């Protein structure tokens, strides 16, 4: 750990979920974890949630191929009001074979590119493979609950339609 970073380890977390606030098209995404009864929330982009779920699915797929035994966990509920610790920038995923845990490292996004030594926060979330497996299906449901994609261009359609680039800017 560098001197200019604040690092905190939560080992093991009791839950790890994603939730949103707002209407489709205006939703804000948050990761939320529970550790010793305290709730920790992190603001995150929708694309980051999808990428995190996809990468975790690769890891969980490898565990399933190796006959890892999963338990069915009761999913946690997203709790509001929330105060995010920070906006997530860099995310890393590590399988810790010696402890049978998934380690998710969430690093705060740098607020200024000009600042060479930002005081970035890092949270290390240690979780069971079961919690990681539940996160995958739960996050995919949350992401899919947004606006429907345009069948022509794939961009999200607002309630009043959208300007489709495939239709030369005409509303669909």
């Amino acid at each position: 750990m560098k001197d200019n970073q604040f690092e905190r380890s939560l080992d093991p977390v009791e839950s790890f979920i994603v939730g949103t606030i707002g209407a489709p098209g205006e939703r804000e995404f948050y990761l939320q974890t529970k550790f010793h009864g305290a709730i920790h929330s992190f603001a995150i982009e929708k694309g980051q949630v999808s990428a995190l779920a996809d990468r975790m699915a690769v890891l969980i797929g490898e565990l399933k191929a190796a006959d890892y035994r999963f338990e069915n966990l009761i999913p946690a509920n997203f709790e509001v009001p929330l105060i995010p610790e920070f906006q997530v920038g860099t995310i890393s995923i590590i399988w810790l074979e010696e402890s049978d845990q998934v380690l998710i490292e969430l690093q705060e996004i740098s607020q200024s590119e000009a600042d060479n030594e930002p005081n970035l926060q890092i949270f290390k979330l240690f979780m069971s493979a079961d919690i990681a497996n539940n996160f995958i299906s739960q996050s995919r449901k949350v992401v899919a609950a947004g606006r429907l994609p345009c069948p022509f261009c794939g961009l999200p359609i607002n309630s009043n339609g959208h300007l489709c680039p495939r239709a030369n800017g005409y509303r669909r």
Side-chain angles (χ1 to χ4, degrees):
M1 179 176 80
K2 297 178 184 177
D3 291 336
N4 61 342
Q5 293 179 334
F6 167 75
E7 185 175 289
R8 184 151 180 214
S9 293
L10 309 180
D11 185 9
V13 299
E14 299 160 30
S15 66
F16 182 64
I17 60 172
V18 65
T20 62
I21 295 176
E26 299 173 5
R27 296 187 299 169
E28 296 175 2
F29 286 76
Y30 296 92
L31 295 176
Q32 197 171 76
T33 189
K34 187 181 274 191
F35 179 70
H36 291 298
I39 303 294
H40 299 276
S41 301
F42 307 90
I44 190 166
E45 296 295 322
K46 179 180 179 179
Q48 288 176 296
V49 173
S50 292
L52 177 58
D54 290 346
R55 298 305 301 163
M56 286 176 79
V58 170
L59 171 65
I60 296 300
E62 290 175 7
L63 291 175
K64 288 179 179 178
D67 290 331
Y68 186 90
R69 301 283 181 223
F70 289 91
E71 297 177 19
N72 289 327
L73 297 177
I74 299 170
N77 293 321
F78 188 66
E79 297 192 26
V80 291
L82 55 87
I83 301 170
E85 303 281 344
F86 54 77
Q87 176 74 39
V88 174
T90 305
I91 304 170
S92 61
I93 306 167
I94 303 166
W95 171 248
L96 303 172
E97 188 172 353
E98 65 278 358
S99 62
D100 282 347
Q101 288 182 308
V102 176
L103 168 60
I104 305 291
E105 288 187 14
L106 303 175
Q107 182 175 323
E108 179 179 22
I109 193 167
S110 177
Q111 299 298 322
S112 170
E113 292 180 22
D115 188 4
N116 291 334
E117 295 195 22
N119 294 318
L120 299 177
Q121 295 184 67
I122 297 174
F123 271 71
K124 292 184 173 189
L125 311 176
F126 295 82
M127 66 190 71
S128 69
D130 297 312
I131 290 174
N133 190 33
N134 281 350
F135 173 82
I136 296 165
S137 59
Q138 188 259 342
S139 64
R140 288 185 172 155
K141 288 176 188 171
V142 169
V143 168
R147 297 173 290 171
L148 294 175
C150 173
F152 301 106
C153 68
L155 294 173
I157 300 173
N158 295 323
S159 58
N160 61 347
H162 84 116
L163 297 176
C164 182
R166 299 277 312 264
N168 291 326
Y170 289 103
R171 286 203 175 273
R172 291 204 179 255

